[in-house]
């Protein structure tokens, strides 16, 4: 057997697809039906996104399907995004397709390269490649701004869009509501030539921010308010992180998104239910940019996008108890210093989950286990914790740690074992090593003094208590049987030492190990070779299962005991831990060496998850 080295659980390798058979869901059924019918078999792919002419010169698309994950780079991704990542990338993987990572960067005032980099890192960490290659650059909506502008001019010329000079308030009032239809803008009847001239003035910076917008001309009486001439371009003088000051007009997300999908030849555009009401506009826009139109002057225009057009499908977002996923509220926690940052291990952000000790495999298992539905429901947080326990049970090396130490003195040690003697002890690092392998071995020593958990001694034991109390015998795990003889106290009555005698010839793994029967074994760390470590005991950030429900202030639901920091003593095998290495501290739970603060000279471990659900009954 080999000497223990820290567990190789730093998550550097991509997570493999779960081996279990996939549970069918409505998205899989849609994809399988499209593949059977050859819905997208005629598609061509020119190697990069582009318009109809660009792809017409390409080859038959080698990807059977194309999905996309399109985050806006205006914050850090959270566990809800992780579900979407696993769905979009996982379906593409399972059906011989490609998933695109694309930044919907149409809102320059809120976007930043910091968020771009964090999103790239999160997707890689979860184990996925994008755009058909490990080295491919992510796509960006801003790369398509020229086409989007050209498409807007086409809509204007075809009579499908107009420039509106009403104020924001006037547009809001005239849009109507669910009980009354909207009112046409007084600028709706402008000719295409007039609208085109105005739109070009917007582009050239001749009008103030907010003074006019380009709107799609659809139906102001539509029962779907999203179809009541939605704005598709606005004036916004803001420096874009990718295009700089090239543009002073920017497309609206609802306009840009379907165009991005079409340029990238997406087949199945998968999004959450809040976009369901936007699907009619998605279809309306792609239809008008795909069709060929003859203008009144006889010109034939259109056919800008390749057919067949993408289709949008919606699934229920993740609702997880004891968690909030609002970017605004998560930002408030950070900026009000309720947490230490976006990667605080109590945060539901992907960087927070990673620092807490979650693994890509656990998150993929979670996404697969909760499934994909069309109806909203709540998932208990314990389901996510259970997936992590399952993943770490067979992977995480074991180690002993004492979190609330009190010294145990073996008063007869010098007489029985020899003064100053340190007896070597061993235990397996993995109780259940992979088939065909042997467990690494942990090495540590026992001497006259060891550290034990303060709760492992009671002067007057309660009923059923099996650990240390005067006259009782227990085993020091991996070491000897000992018999408790009492304790010493300070002037305040606080126990400072527990006293016991060692029973000779009872060391674990020796012929005499079973000569004395005991009802309990306790964990311990030797005073001679124990290592001091900072241990951060994390709990759920909120006390309420639904912290922002019912209009209450979610800050009031914060758990004041969500973090407790203790100075623990850990066995020497843990001294070699590297950042992100994961362990089971026996009897306490699963812990991870903090990926930021952990150092060899100052170990720092975070509680990832307990051995059982402490929030359940």
């Amino acid at each position: 057997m080999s000497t223990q080295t820290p567990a190789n659980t730093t998550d550097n390798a991509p997570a493999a697809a779960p081996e279990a058979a996939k549970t069918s869901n409505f998205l899989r059924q849609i994809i399988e039906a499209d593949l059977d019918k050859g819905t997208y078999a005629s598609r061509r792919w020119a190697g990069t996104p582009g318009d109809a002419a660009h792809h017409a010169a390409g080859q038959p698309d080698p990807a059977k399907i194309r999905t996309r994950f399109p985050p806006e780079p205006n914050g850090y991704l959270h566990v809800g995004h992780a579900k979407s990542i696993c769905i979009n990338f996982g379906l593409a993987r399972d059906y011989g397709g490609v998933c695109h990572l694309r930044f919907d960067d149409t809102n320059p005032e809120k976007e930043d390269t910091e968020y771009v980099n964090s999103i790239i890192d999160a997707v890689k960490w979860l184990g996925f490649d994008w755009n058909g290659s490990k080295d491919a650059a992510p796509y960006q909506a801003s790369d398509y701004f020229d086409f989007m502008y050209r498409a807007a001019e086409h809509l204007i010329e075809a009579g499908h869009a107009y420039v509106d000079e009403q104020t924001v308030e006037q547009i809001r009032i005239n849009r109507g509501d669910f009980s009354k239809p909207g009112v046409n803008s007084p600028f709706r009847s402008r000719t295409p030539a007039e609208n085109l001239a105005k739109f070009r003035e917007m582009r050239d910076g001749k009008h103030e921010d907010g003074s006019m917008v380009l709107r799609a001309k659809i139906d102001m009486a539509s029962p779907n308010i999203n179809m009541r001439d939605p704005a598709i371009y606005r004036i916004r003088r803001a420096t874009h992180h990718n295009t700089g000051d090239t543009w002073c007009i920017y497309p609206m997300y609802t306009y840009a998104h379907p165009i991005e999908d079409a340029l990238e030849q997406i087949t199945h555009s998968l999004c959450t239910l809040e976009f369901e009401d936007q699907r009619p506009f998605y279809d309306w826009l792609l239809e008008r940019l795909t069709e060929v139109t003859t203008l009144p002057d006889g010109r034939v225009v259109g056919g800008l996008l390749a057919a067949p057009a993408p289709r949008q499908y919606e699934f229920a977002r993740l609702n997880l108890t004891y968690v909030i996923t609002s970017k605004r509220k998560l930002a408030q926690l950070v900026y009000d210093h309720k947490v230490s940052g976006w990667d605080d291990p109590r945060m539901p952000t992907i960087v927070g989950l990673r620092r807490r000790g979650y693994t890509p495999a656990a998150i993929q298992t979670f996404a697969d286990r909760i499934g994909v539905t069309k109806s909203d429901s709540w998932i208990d947080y314990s389901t996510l914790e259970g997936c992590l326990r399952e993943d770490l049970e067979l992977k995480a090396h074991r180690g002993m740690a004492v979190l609330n130490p009190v010294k145990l003195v073996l008063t007869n040690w010098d007489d029985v074992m020899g003064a100053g003697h340190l007896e070597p002890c061993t235990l397996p690092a993995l109780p259940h090593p992979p088939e065909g392998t042997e467990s690494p071995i942990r090495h540590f020593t026992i001497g006259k003094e060891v550290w034990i958990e303060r709760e492992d001694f009671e002067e007057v034991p309660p009923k059923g208590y099996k650990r240390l109390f005067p006259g009782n015998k227990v085993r020091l795990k991996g070491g000897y049987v000992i018999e408790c003889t009492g304790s010493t106290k300070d002037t305040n009555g606080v126990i400072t030492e527990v006293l016991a005698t060692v029973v000779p010839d009872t060391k674990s793994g020796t012929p005499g190990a079973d000569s004395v029967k005991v009802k309990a074994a306790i964990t311990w760390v030797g005073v001679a070779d124990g290592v001091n470590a900072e241990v951060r005991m994390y709990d759920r950030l909120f006390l309420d299962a639904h912290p922002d429900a019912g209009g209450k202030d979610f800050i009031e639901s914060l758990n004041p005991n969500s973090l407790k920091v203790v100075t623990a003593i850990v066995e020497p095998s843990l001294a070699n831990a590297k950042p992100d290495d994961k362990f089971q501290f026996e009897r306490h739970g699963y812990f991870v060496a903090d990926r930021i603060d952990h150092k060899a000279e100052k170990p720092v471990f975070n509680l990832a998850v307990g051995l059982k659900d402490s929030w359940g009954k």
Side-chain angles (χ1 to χ4, degrees):
M1 293 188 178
S2 61
T3 300
Q4 183 193 16
T5 55
N8 183 20
T9 53
T10 54
D11 311 321
N12 291 327
E19 295 179 1
K22 301 295 181 181
T23 303
S24 184
N25 56 58
F26 78 97
L27 292 179
R28 289 184 177 275
Q29 292 165 4
I30 289 169
I31 291 171
E32 290 164 5
D34 283 338
L35 291 175
D36 289 342
K37 292 183 295 185
T39 303
Y40 296 99
S42 63
R43 286 179 309 119
R44 303 182 76 81
W45 175 250
T48 56
D51 60 14
H54 175 75
H55 288 302
Q59 301 298 316
D61 195 344
K64 292 183 179 180
I65 66 170
R66 287 186 184 267
T67 60
R68 83 293 169 272
F69 176 64
E72 183 181 358
N74 65 349
Y76 283 79
L77 300 185
H78 53 63
V79 64
H81 295 113
K83 173 186 175 179
S84 293
I85 290 171
C86 292
I87 289 173
N88 280 286
F89 284 90
L91 288 172
R93 172 197 63 205
D94 294 345
Y95 290 100
V98 171
C99 183
H100 295 187
L101 173 60
R102 174 217 305 152
F103 292 108
D104 265 322
D105 54 350
T106 58
N107 192 359
E109 292 177 318
K110 295 183 178 180
E111 297 158 358
D112 194 276
T113 53
E114 174 190 352
Y115 303 130
V116 169
N117 293 334
S118 73
I119 291 168
I120 290 173
D121 187 59
V123 176
K124 283 183 177 179
W125 176 73
L126 282 170
F128 297 109
D129 301 322
W130 53 82
N131 306 353
S133 169
K134 288 185 176 181
D135 300 318
Y139 297 135
Q140 300 178 98
S142 54
D143 292 335
Y144 313 142
F145 281 173
D146 287 338
F147 178 87
M148 291 177 188
Y149 178 83
R150 178 158 62 100
E153 287 205 346
H154 166 70
L155 292 175
I156 293 171
E157 288 188 302
H160 298 314
Y162 64 97
V163 174
D164 194 347
E165 298 183 48
Q166 295 181 98
T167 65
V168 173
E169 182 65 12
Q170 288 171 330
I171 291 175
R172 185 190 66 78
I173 294 172
N174 290 335
R175 182 175 284 118
D177 54 33
F178 292 109
S179 62
K180 64 179 180 180
V183 177
N184 284 350
S185 165
F187 302 99
R188 199 174 193 266
S189 58
R190 276 176 169 160
T191 66
E194 290 173 320
N195 283 310
L196 190 58
K198 284 289 185 182
F199 187 52
R200 289 174 176 172
E201 289 176 7
M202 290 172 58
R203 176 199 63 190
D204 295 339
K206 296 182 178 179
H207 299 282
E208 296 298 318
D209 287 14
S211 61
M212 53 184 65
V213 295
L214 181 68
R215 297 177 71 179
K217 185 186 288 187
I218 307 178
D219 181 6
M220 290 300 291
S222 172
N224 184 343
I225 294 179
N226 294 291
M227 297 296 282
R228 295 181 186 176
D229 293 5
I232 58 177
Y233 260 96
R234 80 281 200 197
I235 304 171
R236 185 70 55 82
R237 286 172 174 81
T239 300
H240 191 282
H241 72 91
N242 183 37
T243 61
D245 295 318
T246 301
W247 297 92
C248 66
I249 58 172
Y250 289 97
M252 305 297 287
Y253 173 83
T254 51
Y255 170 78
H257 185 78
I259 291 176
E260 296 158 28
D261 283 350
L263 292 173
E264 296 176 15
Q265 290 289 67
I266 300 302
T267 58
H268 302 82
S269 184
L270 312 177
C271 54
T272 47
L273 283 173
E274 60 261 38
F275 294 99
E276 186 173 25
D277 289 341
Q278 296 287 355
R279 186 177 358 121
F281 177 72
Y282 184 101
D283 295 338
W284 179 92
L285 178 62
L286 293 184
E287 181 181 344
R288 277 145 189 81
L289 296 181
T290 304
E291 66 185 4
V292 176
T293 303
T294 301
L295 300 180
D297 61 8
R299 286 184 297 141
V300 178
V301 298
L304 300 181
L305 297 174
R311 291 292 305 276
Q312 175 178 303
Y313 303 95
E314 306 85 19
F315 59 88
R317 62 179 295 171
L318 173 63
N319 295 308
L320 192 62
T321 60
Y322 300 98
V323 163
I324 59 170
T325 54
S326 160
K327 285 184 178 180
R328 177 183 62 82
K329 292 178 179 179
L330 292 175
Q332 183 179 338
L333 291 173
V334 173
Y335 300 138
D336 289 351
H337 305 291
K338 303 297 184 183
V339 293
S340 62
W342 290 100
D343 66 345
D344 187 298
R346 294 166 291 180
M347 289 280 275
T349 53
I350 294 178
V351 288
L353 291 169
R354 182 178 181 180
R355 193 170 178 186
R356 179 72 175 261
Y358 276 83
T359 62
I363 293 175
Q364 286 199 43
T365 298
F366 173 69
D368 191 56
R369 185 162 295 169
I370 62 177
V372 181
T373 67
K374 287 282 288 184
S375 58
D376 280 320
S377 61
W378 284 91
I379 305 298
D380 195 271
Y381 193 83
S382 61
T383 304
L384 176 61
E385 293 178 319
C387 292
L388 181 59
R389 287 191 196 95
E390 289 178 24
D391 186 46
L392 294 182
E393 169 63 24
L394 298 179
K395 296 178 181 177
H397 284 194
R398 273 40 170 184
M400 290 191 289
V402 178
L403 305 185
N404 185 18
V406 64
K407 186 175 290 186
L408 169 69
V409 179
L410 300 175
T411 56
N412 67 334
W413 180 269
D414 289 348
D415 295 334
V416 174
M417 306 297 295
H421 177 72
L422 296 176
E423 179 69 15
C425 300
T426 60
L427 280 173
L430 289 173
H432 308 289
E435 186 175 352
T437 67
E438 293 183 329
S439 172
I441 296 298
R442 301 144 50 192
H443 293 269
F444 46 95
T445 64
I446 184 172
K448 181 176 182 178
E449 297 179 333
V450 302
W451 299 105
I452 63 170
E453 294 290 350
R454 188 170 290 274
E455 66 186 50
D456 283 347
F457 172 76
E458 291 284 350
E459 283 188 287
V460 181
K463 184 178 180 180
Y465 189 81
K466 298 177 181 179
R467 284 166 279 173
L468 287 171
F469 56 88
N472 194 43
K473 294 185 177 71
V474 302
R475 177 174 293 281
L476 296 178
K477 187 170 184 179
Y480 290 88
V481 172
I482 63 171
E483 181 176 358
C484 182
T485 57
S487 63
T488 61
K489 301 179 182 179
D490 64 16
T491 55
N492 295 318
V494 176
I495 293 172
T496 56
E497 291 181 341
V498 177
L499 305 178
T501 56
V502 62
V503 180
D505 301 322
T506 58
K507 181 182 174 183
S508 296
T510 67
D514 296 328
S515 61
V516 179
K517 301 297 182 182
V518 294
K519 295 183 178 180
I522 64 172
T523 54
W524 58 279
V525 175
V527 169
D529 58 6
V531 178
N532 286 348
E534 178 180 312
V535 174
R536 299 167 180 173
M537 303 295 292
Y538 289 104
D539 204 342
R540 298 181 187 179
L541 187 57
F542 295 99
L543 293 172
D544 295 337
H546 307 290
D548 56 354
K552 61 187 177 186
D553 184 355
F554 73 103
I555 296 295
E556 295 178 1
S557 297
L558 283 171
N559 178 3
N561 298 314
S562 61
L563 170 60
K564 294 180 180 179
V565 180
V566 301
T567 298
I569 303 167
V570 301
E571 70 173 63
S573 68
L574 299 174
N576 297 320
K578 296 179 177 61
D580 256 359
D581 280 347
K582 298 168 181 68
F583 302 89
Q584 185 194 107
F585 288 2
E586 297 186 70
R587 78 184 267 183
H588 294 300
Y590 293 97
F591 290 75
V592 59
D594 188 85
R595 61 192 304 261
I596 305 298
D597 297 331
H598 177 86
K599 296 178 177 59
E601 64 273 16
K602 187 181 183 300
V604 178
F605 295 95
N606 301 330
L607 173 63
V609 64
L611 295 178
K612 60 182 180 179
D613 179 14
S614 61
W615 284 68
K617 290 183 179 180

